[in-house]
Amino acid sequence: MNALEIKNVSKSFSGHQALHDISLEVPEQTIFGLLGPNGAGKTTLIRIVNQIIRPDSGEVNLFGECLKPDHVFDIGYLPEERGLYKKMKVGEQAMYLAQLKGLSASEARKKLTNWFERFDIAPWWNKKVEELSKGMAQKIQFITTVLHEPKLLILDEPFSGFDPINVEIITQEILRLRDNGATIILSTHNMSSVEELCDHIGLINNSRLVLSGPLDEVRNQFARESYKLTFKGNIIAFTNALWTNYELITKSSNDDIHSCEINLLNGARLNDLLNTVLPVIEIVEVKPIIPSMHDIFIEAVEGTQKHEEA
Amino acid sequence: MSKVGLIIRREYLTRVKKRSFIIMTFLGPLLFAAIIFGGVYMILNDSTTHDVLVVDQNGILTRYSEGTRQLESRFANTFVDSDQIIYHFSKEDIDDDMFKSSAYSLKVVIDEAQLNSGAGTPFTYKTLPSLTVKERIKSELEKGIEQFRVQENLKLDWAVYKSMKVNLKFVEIDVENAGQASLDQNKAVVGFMFSVIIYFFIFMYGVQVMRGVIEEKTNRIVEVIISSVKPFQLMMGKIIGIGLVGLTQFLMWVVLSSVVFTIASFTLIGDAMPTPAMVDGNAMMPMDDASMQVAQLMENEMFLTFISIDWPTLILLFIFYFIGGFLLYGALFAAIGSAVDAETDTQQFMLPVSLPLIFGFLAAEMLLQNPESPIGTVFELIPLTAPVVMMIRSAMGFAGADWLILIASMIILILTFLLFVWAAGRIYRIGILMYGKKASYKELWKWIFEKA
């Protein structure tokens, strides 16, 4: 079953179209990467799922049901622009936020004590938020987001403000929550964490969905017949040997070891390439190039922009 | 607990637990008492002795005494020395340098020509005396000059002249309420005190609503919260919670003030207040019979006013208009807070909200002078001024058509309150998510009708 289904959702604000006919599906118990440049419409989409704003048209289904007020208890939302009441004590504040998400006071206290011990921050309970560092406050926010064990977690840039050690802790927590049954929508500009965590992605650019699907499929879709050749020998002889069926993308040299990235064109195969260059060089390594999410992001975004300009 | 309940509780508890709230709640009545009693105490116990030199250039007030070979007061009943004021007389003026080096603390020059020309009488001092001291010197001089003119110029007997003077006092009788002395003017004063309280609390706590909204916006916690509750619930929870803080402070002040005033009037003023015996013996303040009577009458009138006010109605209406007015203005202040990023940006929106409130206060002040003014009815019906203005009529009591005005005023207030809360909620839900852009009135208007 899909945790979230968005069907033909559009939304505009006083003349400006924020979302244009977006449809996407988030399968249950997966981590879904919601990507896109700044201002593309991700936050608007997230706010619609959180029922902060309503779509002009289209439909949103959560766990097979049309979006309804009680669904706020099933969602945990960590907005990108987030904060806490500075003058309130950490524990008091966490209790308040937990109760707003429908937990009783005793449940909230029990769960919070648990999390505070797990994150080793029990002594912060009676501190005021203004005494905490940014990273500490981010931890509290993460806890209050997941505390009520929501079925759908929406995390907008969850790693900002964390040092690498805490990034690792949060990463492990996200994976653990997924394994325990939660579905997670992760919105981030950090493409390496997308590669590390996400099972599915959706990319929004200029208020339209330009790309979506399982991460592997998306990457294969963008994969070309490209290889990275590492070799010893004369680089000039090597480039001369390449005929029209091969496109040299990059080259780099380290002493007498050279590395080149090559695109195969017109149906040429790796064997053809090797046959062509073997007489002039000595091969050290051959590796297929799989496009990174970083490259896919840039290609997809620039591709749609060119498309629109044309 | 419901979500709004949780929000109300947080808004209430965080404010009530604040040190500034506790200090203000306990210090407020003490400060208030200190100002009132301190003032009274200082007036009654002004221990400084003033040596006043009266320069009587034409010999109006003084005559040469063969016995003491000095100038003395012409009339026995004028310029009687007291603990506070000792009079000295001279025919010749002294210059400023001499005055500075002299033992006198005050100097006043009486010159017949100057008196007749209507020019002011020079009153020179080293340090400015209290108002009462100045008033007493003035009245003493007036009495002396008056007596001189009556006795020496007109050759009239002072006692006869005094008996001719008339001091009228009105006893007001409302024909609608025949047979009973009307105390409307006094009741209006009591009502005005409640007006002041409502005005003061709406301003003080309305601004707190605005600050609270701005705080949530700048803290960026607002998006977290409205993913759990509706913006309208958050706004109402905040307004109600802060309103309850205001009511708490008010009730605490009432209780604490009564305690402080009771204690203070027993200990502090108890022995400092002039008792009739002391006045008779002329020990403290010379008080003539007329002012004694007035004092007694005042006391009497205050008492009569107090018992003739319909307190249950007044208190009930006070609570109604306090809550109604606060919700009305609270919604406006919340909308302002949501439309800006920082308190410094609030000015352009504050003025149109403060103006009706200030206007209501001025109207109440005007009604104090003229409680039956028909313009008052207009302000009682306008919902933005009604909470402040209606208190005056509430204290005076309602008769006949007044009840209709009251009911109309209450209904209009409730309807307007619903309208304002609705509109403010519409502005609020969009405003709290807007950052960096300064909203204009046009945009606010658009937000009210925009879909979310």
Side-chain angles (χ1 to χ4, degrees), chain A residues 47 54 77 83-86, chain B residues 10 216 219-220 223 452:
Chain A
R47 283 179 180 167
R54 249 183 303 216
Y77 174 34
L84 296 164
Y85 292 110
K86 289 198 179 68
Chain B
R10 191 201 83 84
E216 274 168 1
N219 272 356
R220 314 271 164 159
E223 194 160 354

Side-chain angles (χ1 to χ4, degrees), chain B residues 48-54 61-62 68 70-89 104-106 133 136-137 140-141 143 281-287:
Chain B
T48 343
T49 307
H50 299 277
D51 283 287
V52 186
L53 176 66
V54 178
L61 303 168
T62 53
T68 57
Q70 263 180 348
L71 283 176
E72 61 173 25
S73 171
R74 183 179 288 273
F75 309 106
N77 61 344
T78 56
F79 302 110
V80 179
D81 290 344
S82 68
D83 288 348
Q84 276 178 296
I85 306 171
I86 295 168
Y87 292 98
H88 307 268
F89 302 98
Y104 306 122
S105 53
L106 302 165
V133 167
R136 276 174 60 194
I137 294 170
E140 211 62 15
L141 290 167
K143 204 162 111 189
N282 216 352
M284 275 286 304
M285 255 201 302
M287 223 189 209

Side-chain angles (χ1 to χ4, degrees), chain B residues 262-313:
Chain B
T262 315
I263 293 172
S265 46
F266 271 113
T267 56
L268 199 64
I269 301 299
D271 35 82
M273 268 294 201
T275 60
M278 287 163 83
V279 177
D280 279 350
N282 216 352
M284 275 286 304
M285 255 201 302
M287 223 189 209
D288 54 32
D289 287 352
S291 57
M292 266 296 291
Q293 274 169 9
V294 170
Q296 272 176 351
L297 206 74
M298 285 251 306
E299 218 169 57
N300 214 6
E301 254 188 41
M302 264 167 71
F303 180 70
L304 282 176
T305 307
F306 190 83
I307 57 165
S308 68
I309 286 176
D310 181 1
W311 287 99
T313 309

Side-chain angles (χ1 to χ4, degrees), chain B residues 186-214:
Chain B
N186 297 344
K187 290 187 197 168
V189 174
V190 175
F192 185 68
M193 277 158 55
F194 283 88
S195 297
V196 172
I197 292 167
I198 287 189
Y199 171 81
F200 177 65
F201 272 86
I202 286 180
F203 244 125
M204 206 165 94
Y205 286 93
V207 169
Q208 284 214 21
V209 170
M210 189 181 77
R211 285 214 187 106
V213 174
I214 295 173

Side-chain angles (χ1 to χ4, degrees), chain A residues 11-274:
Chain A
K11 173 79 191 173
S12 55
F13 297 109
S14 44
H16 157 75
Q17 180 106 31
L19 291 176
H20 187 91
D21 197 24
I22 300 263
S23 294
L24 56 84
E25 290 168 359
V26 179
E28 216 173 339
Q29 228 190 325
T30 56
I31 300 179
F32 183 94
L34 183 63
L35 315 178
N38 296 323
K42 288 171 299 184
T43 306
T44 305
L45 187 64
I46 290 174
R47 283 179 180 167
I48 286 174
V49 175
N50 273 302
Q51 302 180 66
I52 292 171
I53 50 180
R54 249 183 303 216
D56 295 340
S57 62
E59 205 181 295
V60 179
N61 289 329
L62 200 67
F63 301 102
E65 280 180 310
C66 203
L67 217 51
K68 59 176 189 201
D70 270 358
H71 274 145
V72 297
F73 300 120
D74 296 327
I75 302 180
Y77 174 34
L78 185 70
E80 183 181 5
E81 294 284 3
R82 51 186 177 252
L84 296 164
Y85 292 110
K86 289 198 179 68
K87 303 271 176 202
M88 249 179 130
K89 284 180 181 159
V90 172
E92 225 175 302
Q93 180 148 218
M95 289 284 292
Y96 172 62
L97 293 173
Q99 283 172 276
L100 284 183
K101 277 290 184 192
L103 292 183
S104 73
S106 56
E107 272 177 300
R109 183 171 291 275
K110 218 169 93 189
K111 284 184 197 229
L112 279 172
T113 317
N114 223 319
W115 273 94
F116 273 51
E117 274 165 15
R118 237 149 61 74
F119 273 23
D120 212 11
I121 55 173
W124 298 359
W125 187 274
N126 273 322
K127 272 194 183 174
K128 277 191 181 167
V129 170
E130 58 190 351
E131 297 168 45
L132 303 185
S133 73
K134 194 180 173 203
M136 290 159 121
Q138 298 279 74
K139 261 190 188 171
I140 305 292
Q141 281 160 343
F142 183 81
I143 293 174
T144 56
T145 308
V146 303
L147 191 77
H148 60 294
E149 293 168 13
K151 288 195 274 181
L152 178 66
L153 259 177
I154 302 175
L155 308 175
D156 199 346
E157 292 294 354
F159 304 113
S160 71
F162 279 128
D163 59 46
I165 294 169
N166 281 316
V167 167
E168 188 50 33
I169 292 174
I170 297 297
T171 304
Q172 290 312 314
E173 284 301 332
I174 292 174
L175 290 171
R176 199 181 61 86
L177 286 161
R178 195 238 353 237
D179 295 341
N180 289 346
T183 308
I184 292 150
I185 294 177
L186 181 69
S187 176
T188 179
H189 291 307
N190 184 343
M191 290 304 143
S192 61
S193 52
V194 173
E195 282 166 4
E196 188 184 349
L197 287 168
C198 294
D199 310 301
H200 286 66
I201 65 150
L203 196 155
I204 297 176
N205 188 31
N206 255 337
S207 76
R208 285 161 211 267
L209 186 74
V210 294
L211 200 64
S212 74
L215 185 68
D216 299 339
E217 274 178 31
V218 170
R219 290 180 86 164
N220 285 337
Q221 193 184 321
F222 277 77
R224 287 199 207 85
E225 285 288 294
S226 313
Y227 294 91
K228 185 177 181 187
L229 250 64
T230 308
F231 57 88
K232 284 182 190 163
N234 189 331
I235 184 106
I236 295 167
F238 173 80
T239 46
N240 285 342
L242 293 175
W243 283 86
T244 48
N245 282 351
Y246 312 106
E247 183 193 5
L248 183 64
I249 313 167
T250 62
K251 58 181 178 184
S252 60
S253 302
N254 188 3
D255 290 336
D256 58 339
I257 305 269
H258 310 286
S259 280
C260 292
E261 286 181 26
I262 293 155
N263 270 346
L264 306 190
L265 309 172
N266 307 325
R269 311 294 307 266
L270 175 61
N271 274 9
D272 303 332
L273 172 66
L274 292 180

